[in-house]
Amino acid sequence: MNKQSNTYTIIYIIVLVVLVGTALAATSLALKGRQQENIAADKMSQILAAALITPQEGEIVSDFNKFITDQYVVNAAGERVKGVEAFDVDVASQIKLPADRRALPVYVCTTADGATKYILPVYGAGLWGPIWGYVSFDANGSTIYGAYFAHQGETPGLGAEIEKPAFSDQFKGKNVIKDGRFRPIAVVKAGQKPLDGEDYVDGISGGTITSKGVGSMLDNCLVPYRKFLQSLGESGK
């Protein structure tokens, strides 16, 4: 075949594309298992972070299995849902559903001192993309033990500050049940207080929209857990 012909050029390009495509597909399949393991490990690390546990490198999975002593799914009535694994629930999809139709994951953590904490996932929208995190509660179902927040593309030095301890540490010791009423933590401008008397934290200076996104996220994601959290307090009486 004439190597200078158009036919040769077209055949050459087709063969090259097929070979490269096949190589890329094979590489992707070979790495898929490891990618899924890394994604799962990152999620485990975030869950543990909400309970103030920082695993050593290479020990994330073992520490998760050590400290997360139970995990399950509840519905808006606070009842356990059978046949659904908490770790497999896509929270981003669930928040699009009405509260009474959501699958609500619960991770039970037993800390090094033997205390029980309940870790709940949250997911919402910031200024430039999704924000998410986990909030851990004491056994009374009201007092926040720790919190972890992350984002996909918030502005560095502004909205991205939600991932810093200076912001998340404010949630420690705050209560979502006050005077018998369930009220998620408000995120307000520094120096201000919420009108309804709920516990609050200061928002990020210069990150107003992201701060409001965190407040909306907590409201949207924690309210469906109201009966579950209240039942924890009642069982501890």
Side-chain angles (χ1 to χ4, degrees):
M1 183 180 293
N2 183 4
K3 294 184 178 181
Q4 304 300 321
S5 68
N6 291 335
T7 301
Y8 178 84
T9 301
I10 292 173
I11 293 175
Y12 179 84
I13 292 173
I14 292 174
V15 171
L16 183 62
V17 169
V18 170
L19 290 176
V20 172
T22 301
L24 290 174
T27 302
S28 177
L29 287 173
L31 295 176
K32 187 174 182 180
R34 182 174 297 178
Q35 290 172 341
Q36 292 301 318
E37 290 176 358
N38 290 338
I39 291 173
D42 184 53
K43 182 176 179 178
M44 292 176 183
S45 179
Q46 294 180 22
I47 293 171
L48 290 174
L52 311 182
I53 298 171
T54 304
Q56 296 295 320
E57 186 176 353
E59 298 180 359
I60 295 175
V61 175
S62 60
D63 278 356
F64 183 85
N65 293 330
K66 173 183 176 182
F67 292 108
I68 302 302
T69 50
D70 195 7
Q71 52 178 296
Y72 48 85
V73 172
V74 299
N75 56 27
E79 304 164 332
R80 289 202 188 199
V81 178
K82 296 181 179 180
V84 184
E85 296 293 332
F87 202 81
D88 295 334
V89 173
D90 182 3
V91 179
S93 297
Q94 291 298 313
I95 65 167
K96 299 176 183 178
L97 301 175
D100 60 356
R101 292 176 52 195
R102 295 183 196 175
L104 307 170
V106 177
Y107 300 92
V108 183
C109 176
T110 302
T111 60
D113 61 0
T116 300
K117 311 297 176 184
Y118 296 85
I119 306 171
L120 313 179
V122 293
Y123 191 96
L127 175 59
W128 301 112
I131 56 177
W132 65 92
Y134 296 88
V135 181
S136 65
F137 290 86
D138 286 340
N140 63 11
S142 175
T143 307
I144 292 178
Y145 177 70
Y148 170 88
F149 300 108
H151 64 91
Q152 181 171 296
E154 299 306 288
T155 308
L158 298 174
E161 294 298 298
I162 64 170
E163 68 182 1
K164 302 292 181 63
F167 177 71
S168 59
D169 284 352
Q170 295 183 85
F171 289 83
K172 297 177 183 178
K174 304 295 184 181
N175 286 280
V176 297
I177 300 176
K178 296 187 69 178
D179 303 323
R181 295 175 57 192
F182 185 88
R183 289 176 283 189
I185 309 304
V187 181
V188 299
K189 185 176 180 179
Q192 296 183 351
K193 295 183 179 181
L195 299 176
D196 202 27
E198 63 265 43
D199 278 358
Y200 65 94
V201 300
D202 291 336
I204 302 297
S205 178
T208 303
I209 295 179
T210 306
S211 297
K212 289 182 177 179
V214 173
S216 297
M217 172 175 71
L218 294 174
D219 186 70
N220 183 32
C221 294
L222 294 183
V223 168
Y225 284 98
R226 176 175 59 85
K227 290 187 177 180
F228 169 73
L229 291 172
Q230 289 175 330
S231 70
L232 295 178
E234 293 169 357
S235 64
K237 290 181 179 179

